[in-house]
Amino acid sequence: MLTKRLIACFDIIDGRVTKAIRFQDNIDIAPADKLAGAMYDAQIDELIFYDITASAEKRGIDIETVKKVARQVFIPFTVGGGIKDLHDMYDALKAGAEKISVDSMAVRNPQIIAEGAKAFGSQCVVLSTQVKKTKKMPSGYEVYIDGARLATGLDAGEWIKRGQELGAGEICLNSIDNDGTLAGYDLELMRLAETAVSVPLIASGGAGTPEHLRTLFTETQTQAAIISSMLYSPRMKKNYSVRELKDHLIRNRINVRPSGK
């Protein structure tokens, strides 16, 4: 049985971690490097870093902050935002990332997925996709880009199929409707994804209680979950430790890497 993974996702603005609801009204949390160190000490399984304004501002990723975060963690570390070409991917990997996430630029230039997979291996390329429910699309979900600001007209199911065909080794699905709501993951979205592709899936958007994680992992085939709000959002009545979340999953016979603290 594959080990399920818990992931902290940093939405970065000016070198600091922020949290939002449905991609709006971001609240400042902490310097990215300091929070990364705390998450590593807490034994989080992975870290994802998104420079969330890079694409909209048409600039490259904040490489200096990537370097600062990379010095604090020795776990799989994915970075995204402002990745335009192989040169940008190489710079992010050289700065300490292990995987590259492509999102808005992949929609604008899908070949960046194939080029990245060829140059660095499929395991290095994560297709991150922001989706919103709609009756206009066959799958019931439409792909958005530029920090969920721009609708693309792409059907989410068809887009992730294409992403896998082009070489993405992992797919992260972020539910815009559920993002930051603490009401639970969009299980319907994840079930759609598991019928569309065979690569590992990451669920993002909506986690608010340990039970949301148990439900995700028992009712879908999702391999990893982003849990940022539960860890450090000021909107939570109670923040959870990584150990509390893992202990809850272990009690429910879900295979996770135990916390040693």
Side-chain angles (χ1 to χ4, degrees), residues 4 6 38 40 44 58 68 83 100 131 146 155 157 165 171 177 198 227-228 230 249-250:
K4 303 296 187 180
L6 301 185
Y40 177 71
I44 196 74
K58 295 181 170 51
K68 289 179 181 178
I83 302 291
I100 302 298
V131 304
D146 294 345
D155 178 82
E165 291 166 358
I171 292 172
D177 302 288
S198 58
I227 57 170
S228 303
M230 286 196 286
L249 294 174
I250 290 168

Side-chain angles (χ1 to χ4, degrees), residues 51 69 81 117 151 178:
D51 187 336
V69 169
N178 290 39

Side-chain angles (χ1 to χ4, degrees), residues 36 57 99 103 133 142 157-158 199 208 236:
E57 294 173 0
K99 295 185 276 187
D103 186 336
K133 287 183 178 179
E142 183 175 6
E158 291 304 312
V199 296
M236 290 282 296

Side-chain angles (χ1 to χ4, degrees), residues 161-174:
K161 282 182 188 176
R162 189 176 181 200
Q164 176 178 269
E165 291 166 358
L166 287 166
E170 198 166 20
I171 292 172
C172 179
L173 285 151
N174 193 338

Side-chain angles (χ1 to χ4, degrees), residues 9 11 18-26 50 130-131 147-148 173-186 204-207 226 228-229 235:
C9 180
D11 290 339
T18 67
K19 280 303 300 173
I21 295 179
R22 299 190 179 101
F23 289 77
Q24 297 179 350
D25 302 322
N26 288 70
Y50 292 132
Q130 306 154 38
V131 304
L173 285 151
N174 193 338
S175 167
I176 296 170
D177 302 288
N178 290 39
D179 183 74
T181 63
L182 313 179
Y185 297 98
D186 187 334
S204 179
I226 287 174
S228 303
S229 290
R235 294 186 173 101

